[in-house]
Amino acid sequence: MKILALFFIFTSCGNYTETKGVLEDTFSRNLNTPIDFKTINEAIIQPHCLSCHQQYATYAGVKNEASNILNAVTSNRMPKNASPLSAAKKELLAAWVAAGAPQGGSTTTPPPANDKLEATWVSLSSKVFYPKCLVCHNPQGQAKFLDLSTRQAFFEQRNRDFGGETLLNFEHPDESYLITVITDPDEPMPPVWSNLELLKTEEIEVIIEWIEKGLP
Ligand code: HEC
Ligand code: HEC
């Protein structure tokens, strides 16, 4: 209803023609088309949540937790360590959840064809390190003692010693301390408390291959 009010405020002042298009878009979209997942994803999930919550990468993942998500956002518990979402975004989310968190029409974007994880920095950083490590292991993060944000950083720390084990073991890549930590049965990385999904076997294999090839 706020949008409606705004519409009349604008129509009553001189800027009518300039703002008309934008407002009418918002206006008609809000009244006629139900909010779809694409809108929620682009406005809220991707920019504010995905860096920490891999489980929200799919519609199903978000829908399953829709009411918890709304609760966490309206109570300002989330996004963690960031400013609360704007009132407009909270309202948008509330309206979507109230409507049953629909997926909507044009939202099933098929994964890009070259979605395969490759043993290169470009591929690994965007598909594994960025979503699963970087939130903590960046130069400002809570685990900044081990920066994993650039290929250079990996390279510079390759021989770093952790109680007798090297971070990256080029002779026996699968014995690298990095791999030990990722696969630790008791305290794996990413930490259990982060809610991030652990690495899949195939992802670990690609990291090993990447070390073997000398971090291309
Ligand atoms: C910087 C990392 C980070 C970001 C960004 C983040 N979260 Fe979280 N989230 C966490 C962590 C860590 C927990 C585990 C509980 C805690 O530490 O508060 C959590 C817990 C949750 C929970 C379950 C516990 C609760 O408080 O309800 C929900 C739901 C949630 N997050 C939703 C979201 C949503 C929605 C966003 C985006 C608007 C978001 N989070 C952004 C890190 C994050
Ligand atoms: C939510 C924050 C967080 C995420 C995500 C995270 N880490 Fe960590 N990591 C830490 C913290 C905090 C420490 C230091 C305390 C500890 O060892 O538990 C640490 C320590 C480490 C260590 C050193 C362990 C040691 O023995 O000192 C390695 C290696 C590591 N992380 C790798 C990774 C990798 C690889 C990923 C992603 C696959 C990752 N971490 C994801 C927070 C995180």
Side-chain angles (χ1 to χ4, degrees), residues 179-197:
I179 303 300
T180 309
V181 166
I182 291 172
T183 55
D184 189 304
D186 301 321
E187 291 180 45
M189 285 285 147
V192 176
W193 51 260
S194 71
N195 265 2
L196 291 167
E197 213 182 294

Side-chain angles (χ1 to χ4, degrees), residues 48-49 52-53 56 68-69 72-73 77-80 135 195:
H48 298 287
C49 319
C52 299
H53 292 283
Y56 299 160
N68 293 342
I69 287 175
V73 162
R77 283 200 307 278
M78 291 291 144
K80 201 171 174 66
V135 59
N195 265 2

Side-chain angles (χ1 to χ4, degrees), residues 154-167:
F154 264 95
F155 185 74
E156 282 167 4
Q157 301 174 99
R158 67 195 181 284
N159 292 328
R160 190 153 158 191
D161 182 82
F162 289 89
E165 292 190 66
T166 16
L167 186 65

Side-chain angles (χ1 to χ4, degrees), residues 26-40:
T26 322
F27 183 67
S28 55
R29 197 188 71 208
N30 278 275
L31 289 189
N32 301 331
T33 330
I35 302 154
D36 60 8
F37 176 62
K38 187 167 185 284
T39 308
I40 295 298

Side-chain angles (χ1 to χ4, degrees), residues 65-142:
E65 290 188 24
S67 55
N68 293 342
I69 287 175
L70 180 61
N71 191 291
V73 162
T74 45
S75 63
N76 297 339
R77 283 200 307 278
M78 291 291 144
K80 201 171 174 66
N81 303 336
S83 3
L85 294 191
S86 66
K89 286 190 180 182
K90 286 179 186 170
E91 278 173 29
L92 188 70
L93 184 65
W96 181 67
V97 174
Q103 177 163 25
S106 56
T107 51
T108 37
T109 4
N114 63 345
D115 207 29
K116 202 173 166 296
L117 182 64
E118 288 164 1
T120 61
W121 168 254
V122 173
S123 185
L124 276 170
S125 63
S126 67
K127 299 202 175 85
V128 179
F129 299 132
Y130 179 78
K132 297 193 178 167
C133 318
L134 270 237
V135 59
C136 304
H137 291 277
N138 70 72
Q140 278 84 45
Q142 60 173 296

